[in-house]
Amino acid sequence: DAVALEKERGDDPKLKSLSLVLTGSPGTGKTAFALLYARLLGELEVLPSGRVVRVTGAQLQDGGVEALEEVLKGFDEPGEGGLQVGDVVEARREGTWGHFGRIVRHDTSPRARPPYKDSYDIHFGGRVRFELSDGTSVSRRDNDFDIGVRRKDIRAKAETGGVLILDDAHQLSTSEKAARQVLYRLTEEMDARGGRFAVVVAGYE
């Protein structure tokens, strides 16, 4: 397929810009095409499957940057796929993302106590011997360790991102400062996320 061919060429489709601008009269299928495009990116595993958010220009015109920030939060939620021991993940600690560690154990034992069943033990630092939830131990340099972390509080890099469909983009009046700030912020997010984030802009010419 196209993704395999690009990889053979030495290209990584996840590092490419996948954003589009669609223009045309009402009823020409811009939104339908955008949704199909987002679905295709998910099926090809270029972006997280099902991570599609649609917002209109009017919504951002009225809500400004704050409304956009709320929309962008949806692209940072953890996925539902399985993670493996050894994976480097980002964890949410005390409500804050940005803490990176390695999974050292995934508790799938049917005998696990309820707080630990299907949870993850994550190590964030050096070396020290540390007792795990099942009574075994691991050797690590320090005790910067979280035990019994739920799946909703950890995410892999490949899980973040998705497709933002900006529908009726002509409703954003670039003559107004608030609208320009929205577009500047959206551009910053596209630059920061790279190929993990696609924006499909649909509107009139």
Side-chain angles (χ1 to χ4, degrees):
D1 57 23
V3 174
L5 181 60
E6 288 200 346
K7 289 181 177 179
E8 286 182 13
R9 293 172 177 167
D11 297 329
D12 186 348
K14 295 180 181 179
L15 299 179
K16 291 190 172 185
S17 174
L18 302 169
S19 298
L20 298 176
V21 175
L22 306 175
T23 59
S25 302
T28 52
K30 299 183 297 297
T31 301
F33 179 87
L35 291 169
L36 286 172
Y37 178 66
R39 178 179 175 182
L40 175 64
L41 293 177
E43 290 179 352
L44 293 176
E45 298 182 352
V46 176
L47 292 176
S49 179
R51 189 72 62 84
V52 182
V53 178
R54 177 181 172 270
V55 64
T56 67
Q59 288 174 299
L60 296 182
Q61 179 74 31
D62 294 339
V65 174
E66 289 185 2
L68 177 61
E69 295 292 354
E70 286 300 312
V71 170
L72 294 175
K73 288 179 181 178
F75 296 101
D76 287 327
E77 289 303 308
E80 298 179 354
L83 297 173
Q84 300 179 351
V85 172
D87 286 351
V88 174
V89 294
E90 184 180 4
R92 176 161 47 192
R93 306 176 91 180
E94 298 182 355
T96 304
W97 292 102
H99 308 275
F100 293 88
R102 188 179 300 275
I103 296 175
V104 296
R105 186 169 181 274
H106 181 198
D107 196 339
T108 57
S109 170
R111 298 187 300 276
R113 289 178 289 168
Y116 297 108
K117 190 171 184 179
D118 202 31
S119 66
Y120 296 82
D121 296 340
I122 303 175
H123 177 244
F124 296 94
R127 297 192 68 82
V128 73
R129 183 163 294 280
F130 203 94
E131 295 293 325
L132 299 181
S133 54
D134 63 351
T136 61
S137 63
V138 292
S139 176
R140 292 291 182 265
R141 284 181 192 151
D142 61 40
N143 60 357
D144 192 3
F145 219 99
D146 281 356
I147 292 176
V149 181
R150 311 310 302 182
R151 180 64 176 87
K152 66 181 179 66
D153 291 319
I154 53 177
R155 65 190 183 195
K157 181 179 180 180
E159 294 178 333
T160 61
V163 179
L164 171 63
I165 298 175
L166 175 53
D167 223 347
D168 295 326
H170 56 276
Q171 295 172 341
L172 268 173
S173 176
T174 54
S175 63
E176 297 185 19
K177 182 178 179 181
R180 293 197 300 272
Q181 289 176 330
V182 167
L183 294 175
Y184 292 152
R185 178 68 187 91
L186 185 56
T187 301
E188 289 176 347
E189 197 70 13
M190 292 170 66
D191 289 342
R193 293 178 182 268
R196 298 300 306 168
F197 184 56
V199 178
V200 181
V201 179
Y204 303 171
E205 294 193 54

